Amino acid sequence: MPEATPRPGVTIVIPSHDGLSLLKRTLPFCLNTRYAPAALSILVIDNGSRDGTASEVPALFPGVHVIDLDRNVGFAAACNHGARVVASAYVAFLNNDMKVDPDWLAPLVAALEESPERIAAGSKVLSWDGKTVDFAGGDLNFEGRAFQRGLGVSRDRAAYAAHDAIFLNGGAMLVRRDDFLRIGGFDEDFFAYYEDVDFGWRASILGFSMRWVPESVTYHQHGATAARLSRAQKRFLLERNALLSMYKNYDDADLPRALTGALLLAGLRAIAGAPIQRDAYLVWPPAPAQDSVSLTPEGGAHLAAVNAAIALFPSLRDRRAFIQENRRRTDREVLSMFGKPAEPIHPGRAYAEAQHAVLGGTGLARVLTGPVRRVLIVSPDVLPLDGLPTTGAGLRAWGIGQGLRSRGFEVSFSMPRAALASYPDVPESITDLAWDERNLPEVVHASGAEVVVACGWPLLEQLGDCARPVALDFHGPHLLERTIQGHLDPETNIRTKLACIARADFYTCAGDRQRSYFIPWLLMAGVPYRDDMIRQVPVSLSPEPPSRSSFRPGEPVFVYGGVFLPWQDPALALTVLVEELERAGTGRLELYGGRHPFIPLDTRRFEALVRRLESSTRVRAHGMVDHDHLLRAYGAATVAMDVMARNPERELAFTTRTVEYLWCGLPVIYNNYADLAHLIRQLDAGWVVNPNDAGEIRAAVRAAVTDEEHVRRKAENARRLVRERLSWDSAIEPLAAFCAQPAFRSRAVTLAGSSAAIETAALRRAVYDKDVHIRNLEAMLARQTPFTRARYYWGRVKHYYHRGGPSAIVSQSIDKIRYLRSAGRS
């Protein structure tokens, strides 16, 4: 038999300082690595340990070699020393607090064997117990500060494909030895932290690539090695080493502005939390001077790091010269690989605003901004995904996102986690970014978005002081809805609404009526008046309409679809429609709709209406169906009915269901009071009627039943209306302009925007929840039927599950038992 191709030689190099206890856990896993034994060796670089590492490791683990250094030279220098003294083609650097899967090494070797331009390959790093992700690739911001992809995400939910990365985890990385040493290895001035980031940045400039390989699995006892360092020491190393990387790696044109920006922001980080009385430094009007200012140890670490970095700059000149003379990629090319070049590394909106100003003021923003902006669309409701039903708010968010995609933006979506409980087959791209009442800031960070579009002001309650420019889309007033639902009290809702509005930077709405309504709210929230303070982005859909059945003469098919909401009342219009169908002896009504997918609302009035209408042979009720099913039904229909009794909420609505009817080629019988009415009338895309006038409704229905040619013409006009006025490629223009050049709005401090308003709202919400619980309990006891009691309890179980999962159900059940016991004793 011919000999198998010999495996290339690999040396595992493990730096360690006083880490004997960690090595005793790590080395058995390394020795179990499945790789050609003759091609694999293990070398421990003992960084001046005093715990007996140099003598005990060879005795405990025969075959493991140890090089004993006389002092702690740091992780970077120890790795370089190991690479220099071995002769293998590849060197695998491994932290002493890692364990490895038996098959971790071969995929890394294979990745480097695939391409000579790959200088390194890195492992997927999991937590020690394997339950969560520690490292699934990395991103950088313009300061060279690193972000670990997937950090803390459940392993079961983390599906990351192999990809080229700007840097790899230096504690689980295989390098091509000769190339590693030729370009300088790890920078030994770094001692520890960011040596892998600096190496990756430098290698990318010099034309190499690096591959993250998820098939290679390692496990990290997070923080075991770093536990000896204080928070201030760690911050010092991160700050200093990032500045050193910037000095070496930016080209001559970009270095001055990048370094200027980084130094300014380091100063801001240094004084964060310091009790500085800014008025004490004003020349006029005069104020008492501040005697002293004290920094936290972490704040002082930033200043010490700046000082240390500047002191090292002269010694780095030769290294910088080597990189710049051998550069094969421009700064713009390399920065496009950073992933999050404008990501703030310090929390809070104030810091994000300062960074935005620094990047703009230094001109670096023009270098960092690639051809594609990342936008996160936060939907308050279910998105129209495959297999899911749809709601107006979800369809509005989807249309905005697709409109931005049509303009070249990279768009991701976030929808409520509560909605996912009923729909397990939602794509991971959606589930990974699902929001709840606590995690929305983390969702924004995980998305990597540069701009956030919040569809509805209540979302800003969860979003808080976002570190990204925020566009707020007003899809509806939400005060009227809350009042009808009995959600909190009017004063709390008003204060919360103003506080949320004050947190946004740009505002959109769907139509003229909404714009007139929201301008006073913006003024009350402290937004300065301008003619363009709120821009119109109509509800819009794709310029490519769905397919529909050919227009067939004969029996007309009317449709009504949508979630049942307590502030909508189509009773008169639907009753008249069914009466006319029975009188004419032809046609039918297809009803689509039901309870909201996850928000508990009182829909008894609607359900009673449907039962009454279903008594007619001309009516079929289908309940809630998925969006694709709904579109097919619309495509097979003839006319849509969308007439609601007039109320303030309906007057302000730019109804998404109506736009979708028109998009599907359905002429619509519609209200005469809403924004869409004039468009339908102007393009003859339906019939506009007084919703309180049964005679007008009856006349429109008769025309739709008897005049087929008239219906055919209106159907063509319906699609033309959407194509010309309501397609997302044209309607999205004002929001697209903001997303292309996002900016923070200068905010005045007002009572409406204070955190006290949000805190007050939270307290009142807690009281409200208890009140709702009591009212529902009283109502249930009053009805006293087994069916209604079971339905009530099932509704409460779902409500608390969506609010807080199984723990919330258990907690509420315990409270219920205690309540019943105390009531029995009294």
Side-chain angles (χ1 to χ4, degrees), residues 99-360:
K99 63 180 178 181
V100 295
D101 185 85
D103 296 311
W104 73 288
L105 188 56
L108 299 181
V109 173
L112 293 189
E113 293 284 288
E114 286 175 2
S115 171
E117 292 187 352
R118 285 185 187 157
I119 195 172
S123 299
K124 174 169 66 178
V125 184
L126 303 176
S127 60
W128 189 262
D129 60 10
K131 293 182 178 179
T132 60
V133 174
D134 190 86
F135 184 85
D139 297 304
L140 299 179
N141 81 345
F142 84 98
E143 295 180 78
R145 303 301 289 266
F147 307 96
Q148 294 170 235
R149 292 184 190 173
L151 181 63
V153 175
S154 169
R155 179 184 187 177
D156 295 335
R157 294 182 56 225
Y160 299 95
H163 60 269
D164 287 343
I166 187 64
F167 78 96
L168 300 168
N169 186 323
M173 179 171 73
L174 182 74
V175 300
R176 201 181 300 275
R177 174 185 173 274
D178 290 346
D179 288 334
F180 174 80
L181 294 174
R182 182 167 59 84
I183 71 169
F186 292 139
D187 193 316
E188 298 183 9
D189 279 329
F190 282 38
F191 190 82
Y193 289 113
Y194 281 179
E195 66 287 318
D196 47 8
V197 169
D198 174 71
F199 172 74
W201 190 350
R202 182 190 340 139
S204 298
I205 293 171
L206 298 178
F208 291 100
S209 65
M210 289 177 290
R211 191 74 169 171
W212 180 76
V213 184
E215 294 78 16
S216 171
V217 181
T218 62
Y219 304 83
H220 185 205
Q221 188 176 345
H222 195 73
T225 303
R228 301 184 182 94
L229 299 177
S230 68
R231 287 168 54 90
Q233 287 174 312
K234 183 176 179 179
R235 191 164 294 189
F236 169 85
L237 290 170
L238 293 172
E239 187 80 69
R240 185 199 64 176
N241 293 351
L243 289 170
L244 298 181
S245 285
M246 294 180 72
Y247 176 75
K248 291 189 301 174
N249 293 318
Y250 271 109
D251 67 18
D252 290 341
D254 293 328
L255 177 62
R257 45 192 170 189
L259 201 54
T260 298
L263 292 173
L264 287 170
L265 293 171
L268 287 180
R269 296 192 288 269
I271 64 172
I276 296 177
Q277 301 170 14
R278 299 189 179 185
D279 291 347
Y281 299 91
L282 297 177
V283 176
W284 190 263
Q290 187 172 3
D291 294 333
S292 62
V293 176
S294 59
L295 295 178
T296 64
E298 290 84 359
H302 290 289
L303 297 181
V306 170
N307 186 53
I310 292 173
L312 284 170
F313 283 171
S315 65
L316 300 179
R317 285 174 183 164
D318 289 344
R319 277 169 267 180
R320 171 174 170 77
F322 170 81
I323 295 168
Q324 303 309 320
E325 289 168 4
N326 293 279
R327 176 182 287 274
R328 292 181 58 188
R329 290 192 178 104
T330 66
D331 272 357
R332 186 173 288 276
E333 290 173 318
V334 176
L335 286 167
S336 70
M337 302 161 61
F338 272 34
K340 297 182 178 180
E343 182 79 10
I345 61 168
H346 190 80
R349 179 184 172 91
Y351 180 85
E353 288 184 19
Q355 176 175 292
H356 189 274
V358 165
L359 293 179

Side-chain angles (χ1 to χ4, degrees), residues 796-798 800-802 804-814:
R796 300 317 296 164
V797 167
K798 289 198 296 183
Y800 288 116
Y801 180 82
H802 294 325
S807 62
I809 297 173
V810 173
S811 175
Q812 291 297 324
S813 299
I814 292 172

Side-chain angles (χ1 to χ4, degrees), residues 770 773 777 800 807-823 825:
K770 292 298 182 184
H773 181 75
L777 181 61
Y800 288 116
S807 62
I809 297 173
V810 173
S811 175
Q812 291 297 324
S813 299
I814 292 172
D815 288 345
K816 171 71 74 176
I817 292 169
R818 288 173 177 168
Y819 169 78
L820 293 174
R821 284 179 176 175
S822 63
R825 285 194 297 269

